[in-house]
């Protein structure tokens, strides 16, 4: 192990490991390791380093992280980028991804560590302090979607520990790791953005996991060196332009983020304060095929330019149009780093706060409690704006249209309800609990509100042309009629059970919805290992356009399921759902809606 900078030692095995000494009292008796390599660094520490306070991993690849298990076994806490913990804890599952047949996964899972280790998350933008050493986590996707760099501020200047982001001025460690999809170049674009971001921090030295320590100019040199390859493969041709100007000014008071996966908008008040509508994946340059957390990376890349280019002094709040990850994933970071509050329309407060209760698509991995619940249909005043949320089921059940009124204009933010260049595509999704009459309801709402400008999640701004609202209603009515004619009655109903995972003996609500104009008569059948007495059957009558809730208290062994079947007239297809038991118990207790009778 050699001293490469005052108080910083380097050991090289499968990768460089940096031992950063705590010299706060003139004593370098403790250190923090940046990466761990194959673990042999623990046998090569200088005699004066008597304690390793922590290991900080820049990413999960084997060359930098294989020794994590040894460190944990030795009582040393290991920190890894948020989202990469599962592949470090369960490496056999990650390694098996490399052996799949008909595999179109581009990421090199063969580089996963051989032995599992429990790690703690390195939260993006947070500062982790160990004694007098404080490391700030910067998201630097490139080697992996979740990779980070660690910034250490010392008396001599800022140091950047960059992992495998770059190898030398003009070179990356491996091009293969930048291909996150089967033939994509997502990691190339991510690497460029990460290098440019680090260059903005002006570190005095760059300390990589491979290669020699570099001057800060290496960051810009390497970003520019990647430009021809990006151009050759036509990957993100607008990358540099979008980085320079990420926001489009639609009105003096209204900005649109041009870089986000779904359109995020900014209301800019005359005072300089801002309010955001939706905030999912900022500067989305490409994503891996997977929807696991290690492939979905929210960050705050464009926010510094929002503040500097448009005179924004701060962000007061963000209001989501619905709960899908591409509209909300970045909100927790936005709240932590910029102090923005989450103002949620009341119909999505619960699903945002406790997503694990629900069987719905596109749920973000962490809950987010609302700082303010916005009653539907009631206007609120923020600065010079009046904002009114309205219920907007269709694309998603827990969704809201946001009408923003200024002295001059009425603007409607509709999320993903409608799509297409003409704003007429009906963007419904059955797993989001779509009901056949939802688009009639939303067409009537739009016609009543008569916005002058309509903004959506994935399309260009739309000024409604003459006849637009009438066309919306006609298409909504056609959709409803076709659903009535193209399937039997039972198939038009909806069934859901929540929470989807329940402690044995805990309550489960089975919700039955009849959105049609025809009464329904049938039965609910219960089965599964959680039902250890016999199959239960409950008669059900649902009037037209009605909802009924049934309460159950399932009991059973861990991992067992209670299955629900809504059965209608003989020969019609049934509807199904289930809940999973999360703790052991001997039997199933079944309660009627009043809770007065135990059917077991």
């Amino acid at each position: 192990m050699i001293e490469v900078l005052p108080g910083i030692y380097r050991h090289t095995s499968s990768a460089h490991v940096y031992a950063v000494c705590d010299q706060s009292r003139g004593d370098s008796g403790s250190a923090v390791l940046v990466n761990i390599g194959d673990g042999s660094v623990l046998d090569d520490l200088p005699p004066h380093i008597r304690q390793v306070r922590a290991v900080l991993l820049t990413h999960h690849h084997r060359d930098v992280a294989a020794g994590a298990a040894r460190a944990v076994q030795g009582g040393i806490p290991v920190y890894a980028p948020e989202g990469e913990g599962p592949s470090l804890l369960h490496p056999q599952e990650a390694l098996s991804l490399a052996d799949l047949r008909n595999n179109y996964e581009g990421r090199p899972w063969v580089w996963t560590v051989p032995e599992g280790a429990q790690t703690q998350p390195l939260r993006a933008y947070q500062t982790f302090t160990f004694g007098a050493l404080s490391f700030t986590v910067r998201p630097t996707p490139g080697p992996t979607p979740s990779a980070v760099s660690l910034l250490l501020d010392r008396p001599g200047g800022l140091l950047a520990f960059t992992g495998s982001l770059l190898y030398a001025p003009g070179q990356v460690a491996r091009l293969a790791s930048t291909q996150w999809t089967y033939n994509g170049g997502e990691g190339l674009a991510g690497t460029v953005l990460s290098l440019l971001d680090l260059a903005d921090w002006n570190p005095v030295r760059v300390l990589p996991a491979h290669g020699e320590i570099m001057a800060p100019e290496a960051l810009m040199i390497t970003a520019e060196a990647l430009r021809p390859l990006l151009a050759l493969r036509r990957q993100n041709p607008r990358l540099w332009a979008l980085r320079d100007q990420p926001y489009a000014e639609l009105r003096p008071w209204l900005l649109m983020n041009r870089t986000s996966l779904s359109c995020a908008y900014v209301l800019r008040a005359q005072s300089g304060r801002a309010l955001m509508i939706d905030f999912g994946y900022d500067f989305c340059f490409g994503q891996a095929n997977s929807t696991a957390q290690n492939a979905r990376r929210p960050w705050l890349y464009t926010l510094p330019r929002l503040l500097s280019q448009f005179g924004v002094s701060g962000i007061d709040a963000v209001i989501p149009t619905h709960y899908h990850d591409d509209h909300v994933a970045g909100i927790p970071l936005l709240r932590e780093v910029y102090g923005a509050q989450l103002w949620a329309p009341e119909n999505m407060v619960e699903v945002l706060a406790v997503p694990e209760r629900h069987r719905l698509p596109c749920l973000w991995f962490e809950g987010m409690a609302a700082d303010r619940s916005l009653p539907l249909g009631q206007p609120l005043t923020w600065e010079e704006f009046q904002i009114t949320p309205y219920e907007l089921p269709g694309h998603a059940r827990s969704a809201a249209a946001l009408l923003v009124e200024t002295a001059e204009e009425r603007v409607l933010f509709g999320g993903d309800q409608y799509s297409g260049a003409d704003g007429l595509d009906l963007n419904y999704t059955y797993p989001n609990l779509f009901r056949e009459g939802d688009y009639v309801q939303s067409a009537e709402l739009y016609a009543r509100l008569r916005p002058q400008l309509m903004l959506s999640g994935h399309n260009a701004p739309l000024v409604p042309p003459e006849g637009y609202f009438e066309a919306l209603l006609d298409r909504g009515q056609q959709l409803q009629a076709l659903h009535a004619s193209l399937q039997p009655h039972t198939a038009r109903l909806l069934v859901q059970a929540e929470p989807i995972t329940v402690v044995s003996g805990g309550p489960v609500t089975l919700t039955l919805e009849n959105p049609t104009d025809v009464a329904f008569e049938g039965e609910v059948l219960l089965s599964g290992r959680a039902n250890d007495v016999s199959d239960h059957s409950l008669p059900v009558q649902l009037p037209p356009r009605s909802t009924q809730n049934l309460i159950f208290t399932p009991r059973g062994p861990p991992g067992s399921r209670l299955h629900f079947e809504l059965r209608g007239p003989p020969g019609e297809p049934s509807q199904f759902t289930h809940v999973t038991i999360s703790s052991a118990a001997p039997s199933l207790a079944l309660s009627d809606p009043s809770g007065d009778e135990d059917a077991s």
Side-chain angles (χ1 to χ4, degrees):
M1 179 170 274
I2 60 173
E3 188 173 21
V4 292
L5 291 174
I8 298 180
Y9 295 80
R10 188 177 73 190
H11 169 90
T12 301
S13 56
S14 53
H16 295 322
V17 179
Y18 297 96
V20 184
C21 296
D22 182 348
Q23 299 178 306
S24 56
R25 296 182 178 86
D27 176 11
S28 55
S30 67
V32 171
L33 302 184
V34 177
N35 290 320
I36 187 72
D38 63 8
S40 60
V41 63
L42 299 176
D43 302 318
D44 191 34
L45 295 172
H48 62 269
I49 296 181
R50 297 182 295 274
Q51 178 192 13
V52 176
R53 289 179 176 267
V55 174
L56 309 182
L57 301 177
T58 56
H59 56 298
H60 76 273
H61 284 167
R62 177 173 181 163
D63 50 354
V64 301
R70 180 181 172 185
V72 171
Q73 292 161 9
I76 303 171
V78 177
Y79 295 77
E82 198 170 31
E84 298 204 349
S87 61
L88 289 163
L89 181 60
H90 304 292
Q92 299 311 313
E93 295 180 11
L95 288 165
S96 68
L97 295 175
D99 300 331
L100 294 175
R101 293 190 179 184
N102 200 29
N103 186 6
Y104 283 81
E105 171 66 71
R107 290 176 292 169
W109 291 110
V110 290
W111 298 349
T112 301
V113 299
E115 186 177 357
Q118 179 72 56
T119 61
Q120 301 180 48
L122 284 174
R123 180 79 163 175
Y125 304 102
Q126 299 301 305
T127 296
F128 291 77
T129 300
F130 308 91
L133 301 174
S134 293
F135 295 85
T136 299
V137 181
R138 296 296 299 181
T140 50
T144 70
S146 298
V148 301
S149 292
L150 301 164
L151 302 183
L152 175 66
D153 199 2
R154 304 208 313 168
L158 191 70
L159 302 180
F161 297 88
T162 56
S164 297
L165 186 65
L166 72 164
Y167 174 78
Q171 288 187 311
V172 297
R174 301 184 187 94
L175 285 173
S177 66
T178 65
Q179 193 164 62
W180 301 347
T181 58
Y182 181 63
N183 58 1
E186 302 81 11
L188 285 175
T191 297
V192 169
L193 291 174
S194 299
L195 291 166
L196 296 176
D197 179 65
L198 291 178
D200 287 344
W201 283 84
N202 196 27
V204 296
R205 289 288 184 272
V206 175
L207 292 81
H210 307 276
E212 295 304 316
I213 294 176
M214 289 168 266
E217 292 78 14
L219 299 167
M220 289 296 295
I221 291 171
T222 307
E224 288 295 333
L226 290 171
R227 192 193 286 256
L229 182 55
L230 281 167
L232 184 66
R233 61 171 299 123
R234 300 176 179 176
Q235 181 80 37
N236 302 82
R238 299 191 300 153
L239 191 72
W240 271 265
L242 288 174
R243 184 179 188 272
D244 290 339
Q245 297 288 335
Y247 290 87
E249 187 175 79
L250 305 181
R251 301 287 188 272
W253 54 269
L254 177 60
L255 309 174
M256 181 179 73
N257 188 339
R258 302 191 300 154
T259 73
S260 52
L261 179 60
S262 65
C263 297
Y265 300 93
V266 181
L267 306 184
R268 184 178 54 170
Q270 294 174 3
S271 66
R273 305 301 294 178
L275 183 145
M276 304 190 79
I277 294 177
D278 288 332
F279 191 75
Y281 300 111
D282 189 29
F283 212 126
C284 187
F285 52 86
Q287 294 180 317
N289 288 332
S290 170
T291 58
Q293 192 171 4
N294 60 30
R296 292 290 182 262
R297 181 63 174 277
W299 57 348
L300 307 172
Y301 197 89
T302 68
L303 271 293
R305 277 175 166 71
L306 172 65
L307 272 61
S308 64
Q309 293 180 348
F310 295 96
V312 172
S313 60
I315 303 167
D316 287 347
V318 55
I319 305 177
T321 58
H322 58 297
Y323 61 84
H324 288 171
D325 63 318
D326 57 329
H327 294 257
V328 305
I331 291 177
L333 290 176
L334 189 67
R335 178 155 54 182
E336 292 169 14
V337 178
Y338 288 92
Q341 291 190 344
L342 169 57
W343 295 355
E346 62 182 336
N347 62 339
M348 65 185 79
V349 167
E350 197 270 345
V351 70
L352 287 171
V354 198
E356 63 270 18
R357 288 179 52 90
H358 303 272
R359 184 176 293 114
L360 293 169
C362 313
L363 291 170
W364 184 236
F365 298 93
E366 61 180 297
M368 51 192 86
D371 299 289
R372 181 176 180 180
S373 176
L374 306 181
L376 296 172
Q378 296 186 23
L380 67 98
T381 299
W382 174 79
E383 298 283 346
E384 63 266 31
F385 302 94
Q386 181 173 282
I387 305 170
T388 309
Y390 293 92
E391 184 180 20
L392 190 68
H395 176 69
R397 178 69 60 87
S398 299
L402 303 174
L403 180 68
V404 175
E405 297 176 89
T406 70
E408 299 84 19
E409 198 168 15
R410 294 161 59 86
V411 179
L412 188 66
F413 298 82
D416 294 349
Q417 182 76 352
Y418 295 100
S419 60
D422 59 2
L424 291 174
D425 289 358
L426 310 176
N427 195 23
Y428 62 91
T429 306
Y430 296 110
N432 283 325
L433 305 178
F434 161 72
R435 294 169 299 204
E436 59 188 44
D438 283 345
Y439 279 85
V440 173
Q441 178 180 332
S442 63
E444 292 172 345
L445 172 68
Y446 280 40
R448 186 171 77 251
L449 298 180
R450 292 281 165 173
Q452 296 153 293
L453 177 66
M454 293 173 49
L455 300 175
S456 69
H458 299 276
N459 292 102
L462 176 69
V463 175
E466 184 177 354
Y468 175 77
F469 300 109
E470 293 77 11
L472 279 188
L473 181 58
D474 178 67
R475 292 174 65 79
Q477 291 171 338
Q478 289 186 56
L479 184 68
Q480 184 176 28
L482 287 168
H483 275 79
S485 66
L486 290 174
Q487 57 185 344
H489 189 212
T490 307
R492 298 164 62 190
L493 275 58
L494 291 92
V495 181
Q496 59 175 320
E498 293 176 346
I500 60 173
T501 301
V502 63
V503 175
S504 183
V508 171
T509 300
L510 181 70
T511 300
L512 310 175
E513 293 185 79
N514 179 11
T516 76
D517 294 324
V518 180
F520 172 84
E521 291 192 14
E523 59 182 338
V524 171
L525 304 177
L526 288 88
S527 62
R529 285 202 302 143
N531 176 13
D532 65 350
V533 285
S534 62
D535 287 353
H536 288 281
S537 174
L538 291 176
V540 172
Q541 292 185 339
L542 294 173
R545 299 182 181 275
S546 68
T547 299
Q548 184 175 353
N549 292 324
L550 304 175
I551 309 299
F552 301 91
T553 53
R555 304 180 189 276
S560 63
R561 290 188 172 91
L562 174 60
H563 296 271
F564 301 97
E565 177 185 356
L566 178 63
R567 187 177 294 180
E572 288 195 6
S574 297
Q575 300 275 25
F576 301 93
T577 191
H578 67 270
V579 297
T580 302
I581 309 301
S582 60
S583 64
S587 63
L588 167 69
L590 170 65
S591 301
D592 71 1
S594 67
D596 295 332
E597 182 176 328
D598 189 341
S600 64

